Amino acid sequence: MIKKLRNFKKVYIVLMIFLLTFSVTGCKKNKRNSDVNYNNINKNHIKGSYTVYVINSEKGLMKKNLLKGYKDALTDLFGKKHFKLKFFDVDENSSSLPDSVKKSNLILANGKIALEKSVNHSSQIPVVATGILNFQSVLKTENTGLLNPTGINITGTSTISPMSNVMSLIIESVSDLKSVGLLYSPEDDNAIYQNEVLESFMNSAGIRWKEYELASTKTTEDKNSDSNGENANKKNVDNKNNNEKSLTNKSTDDVTQNDENTAVVIDPITPTLQSSFSRSFNSIDNIGEKSLIETPFSPTSARAPKISKNWDIQSAGNPSILEGATNEDVLNCAVSECSVLFIPSGSNIKDQLNLITKASDNAAIPTITNDSLISDKTFTCLYTDPYAFGYSAGKQTYRILIKKEKAKDMAIESIPPSVTVKLYNKSLSKKYNRVFPKSFFEVNSYLKESVPGVTVKRINKKKI
């Protein structure tokens, strides 16, 4: 009887996730790839050849499989004789793109750095980008809608995972799901966004959740940068004070000296900060907004860790890097309170993976991710083949060059849930005595043996 009730609860939760997903995506106003009938395409009507300049800043499978998907899409839609690809790799040290880019019909920017390097050319040449999770944040637009048009001559396909599938994976991976721990580092907008989408699903399903903030290498770099800026400002203030000695007295000097030697402890829960997912404003700007965060504290401390309203788990405290706790302290707290830990895709805390896995293994608490790069270290993973992102970007290229759509009016694409694959770690499944159904694949075998694009439905060539 108890088992039947648990199964019923899981079915109910999955249904709620589906309904919420439909309510978010069901009312579409902007035309998308899925609105185009590609089966009526006649490649013989295409005249001449189009040149696409591929600006790339990605590596490994994200580069290889994504570009294969893009090329296959152009082959299916244009025909091999009607397009030409040129390639140029960039990194943070690259100064500018080659002059030959100006002669291309379109730019494909693969990766954040590639998009940033391509922006200056977008006034003359349409840009289709991928390898980006949040275009609005990278481009500093005024738009908080992740998949809304950018309003400039740039569009693309977001690498955001179907978060409803991620939520389903969490439910399927843990037999007795009581609470979910969401890991992130404070400077990581993309991780925060993914966590907050999951939070909306969990709120609807009545699942308890709590965020746990870890310091990454990037966090330390940002804090050091902030500290240098604060020291420079303090020096200017000190110089001003020295020029105005007549306005100071001994008691003021005593207070100043005392303030300099006193550590200020900031409770991360105290500030009333709104969720960026809710698009509401408060004392600071939301994640992804154009203007900079302006607050008396460091930007890395501007967003406090959040907790679900139905959280009723008693804990000894609420560790936070703002209170001086180490990452080990935070993780030990997380595994003591949660049934599972989630690591967002592309997260900056990947450099803390050894600490995360050590804490989770010691407590026998599974970790789940949607990042294939760390899937061999986690219990389960929702995998999305980069080929799907490239193929989607190829469809957008066709719409711009052949259908004459304007990139500034085109919605950012996201890949459909049907192309994702659920992976599990064989060694960890034995440790947790968990047997997965046939809908799951063993992570190492799948990534080694699967063919790029196997989950992607290509355009029916017979009807072209």
Side-chain angles (χ1 to χ4, degrees):
M1 181 66 181
I2 294 176
K3 185 176 182 181
K4 287 184 178 180
L5 288 174
R6 284 179 178 173
N7 290 335
F8 175 78
K9 183 179 179 181
K10 285 190 175 184
V11 171
Y12 171 76
I13 292 173
V14 172
L15 179 61
M16 289 298 295
I17 291 171
F18 170 78
L19 291 175
L20 182 59
T21 305
F22 180 79
S23 67
V24 172
T25 61
C27 301
K28 298 182 295 184
K29 293 182 179 180
N30 303 109
K31 195 173 183 180
R32 299 184 180 277
N33 284 343
S34 56
D35 299 321
V36 180
N37 185 359
Y38 297 98
N39 291 327
N40 295 327
I41 294 169
N42 189 334
K43 290 182 288 188
N44 294 326
H45 291 171
I46 299 176
K47 297 180 181 180
S49 178
Y50 294 89
T51 299
V52 176
Y53 227 113
V54 179
I55 309 300
N56 175 74
S57 58
E58 294 289 338
K59 299 178 181 179
L61 289 179
M62 179 56 79
K63 175 184 178 181
K64 180 181 177 181
N65 288 2
L66 189 147
L67 294 182
K68 176 174 173 52
Y70 184 74
K71 186 176 181 180
D72 283 353
L74 297 192
T75 301
D76 293 346
L77 292 164
F78 289 77
K80 292 182 179 180
K81 65 180 180 179
H82 294 300
F83 74 90
K84 182 187 300 182
L85 299 180
K86 292 186 177 181
F87 300 88
F88 188 77
D89 288 346
V90 295
D91 56 29
E92 293 179 348
N93 298 319
S94 302
S95 56
S96 61
L97 302 184
D99 290 338
S100 54
V101 170
K102 299 176 182 178
K103 298 180 180 180
S104 62
N105 301 105
L106 183 139
I107 294 174
L108 175 72
N110 182 29
K112 180 177 181 289
I113 296 174
L115 177 56
E116 291 171 341
K117 300 292 183 182
S118 303
V119 168
N120 290 338
H121 293 273
S122 64
S123 59
Q124 302 295 327
I125 307 169
V127 176
V128 173
T130 191
I132 311 293
L133 190 143
N134 192 333
F135 281 72
Q136 316 300 346
S137 178
V138 173
L139 296 173
K140 304 295 188 295
T141 71
E142 297 286 353
N143 204 333
T144 55
L146 185 77
L147 302 182
N148 287 351
T150 64
I152 55 180
N153 201 22
I154 297 174
T155 190
T157 296
S158 170
T159 56
I160 183 74
S161 300
M163 300 308 289
S164 57
N165 283 30
V166 175
M167 188 67 249
S168 296
L169 177 66
I170 292 174
I171 294 170
E172 291 182 83
S173 299
V174 184
S175 56
D176 188 16
L177 182 62
K178 295 179 180 178
S179 54
V180 178
L182 304 166
L183 307 181
Y184 74 103
S185 59
E187 79 292 338
D188 194 346
D189 295 359
N190 288 342
I192 291 171
Y193 186 92
Q194 293 174 78
N195 284 345
E196 291 189 338
V197 176
L198 278 180
E199 288 162 15
S200 68
F201 288 134
M202 288 187 284
N203 287 340
S204 297
I207 298 174
R208 294 173 297 189
W209 55 265
K210 186 175 180 180
E211 295 180 345
Y212 298 89
E213 185 180 276
L214 302 177
S216 69
T217 301
K218 186 68 167 60
T219 311
T220 305
E221 292 174 354
D222 285 359
K223 287 176 74 68
N224 289 338
S225 176
D226 297 335
S227 177
N228 291 336
E230 290 171 1
N231 289 337
N233 291 333
K234 183 178 181 300
K235 184 176 181 180
N236 292 333
V237 172
D238 289 343
N239 290 336
K240 182 179 180 181
N241 289 340
N242 289 334
N243 293 330
E244 300 175 354
K245 283 186 177 180
S246 59
L247 299 179
T248 63
N249 52 41
K250 189 176 186 302
S251 61
T252 303
D253 290 339
D254 290 341
V255 172
T256 303
Q257 183 67 33
N258 182 59
D259 288 345
E260 289 176 351
N261 294 329
T262 302
V264 179
V265 179
I266 303 169
D267 182 354
I269 302 303
T270 300
T272 306
L273 306 179
Q274 299 297 320
S275 162
S276 58
F277 183 71
S278 67
R279 304 180 190 174
S280 54
F281 289 86
N282 202 330
S283 58
I284 62 170
D285 291 330
N286 290 324
I287 299 301
E289 289 298 296
K290 183 176 182 180
S291 55
L292 296 176
I293 293 177
E294 295 181 354
T295 165
F297 310 126
S298 162
T300 58
S301 67
R303 185 193 182 281
K306 298 189 300 174
I307 188 170
S308 63
K309 292 182 179 179
N310 62 343
W311 186 269
D312 56 2
I313 299 174
Q314 299 297 321
S315 60
N318 185 33
S320 166
I321 60 171
L322 298 179
E323 296 172 322
T326 64
N327 282 353
E328 290 92 334
D329 294 332
V330 177
L331 287 167
N332 287 335
C333 178
V335 296
S336 70
E337 297 177 333
C338 299
S339 309
V340 61
L341 301 182
F342 174 69
I343 307 172
S345 177
S347 173
N348 291 342
I349 59 173
K350 283 191 291 188
D351 62 11
Q352 303 298 311
L353 190 59
N354 288 338
L355 284 177
I356 296 171
T357 54
K358 180 180 178 180
S360 63
D361 287 347
N362 290 341
I365 298 298
T367 53
I368 295 176
T369 188
N370 53 340
D371 191 334
S372 61
L373 295 179
I374 61 173
S375 57
D376 61 331
K377 302 292 185 181
T378 61
F379 185 46
T380 58
C381 171
L382 187 74
Y383 173 70
T384 306
D385 189 346
Y387 181 101
F389 303 129
Y391 201 86
S392 174
K395 289 181 176 181
Q396 291 175 299
T397 298
Y398 173 83
R399 289 165 57 193
I400 293 171
L401 296 182
I402 304 300
K403 292 295 185 180
K404 305 303 179 183
E405 292 186 40
K406 301 295 184 182
K408 68 182 182 66
D409 299 324
M410 293 170 59
I412 300 298
E413 294 290 330
S414 61
I415 53 90
S418 59
V419 306
T420 61
V421 179
K422 294 176 288 189
L423 306 178
Y424 73 94
N425 187 307
K426 186 176 181 179
S427 60
L428 289 178
S429 67
K430 291 180 178 179
K431 176 178 179 178
Y432 295 128
N433 194 27
R434 178 78 165 88
V435 178
F436 287 94
K438 292 182 179 180
S439 57
F440 282 73
F441 297 85
E442 203 286 318
V443 56
N444 294 308
S445 298
Y446 185 86
L447 294 180
K448 182 179 180 180
E449 300 170 4
S450 65
V451 178
V454 67
T455 61
V456 177
K457 184 179 180 181
R458 292 179 60 171
I459 295 166
N460 192 336
K461 297 180 181 181
K462 293 181 181 181
K463 295 183 180 181
I464 293 179

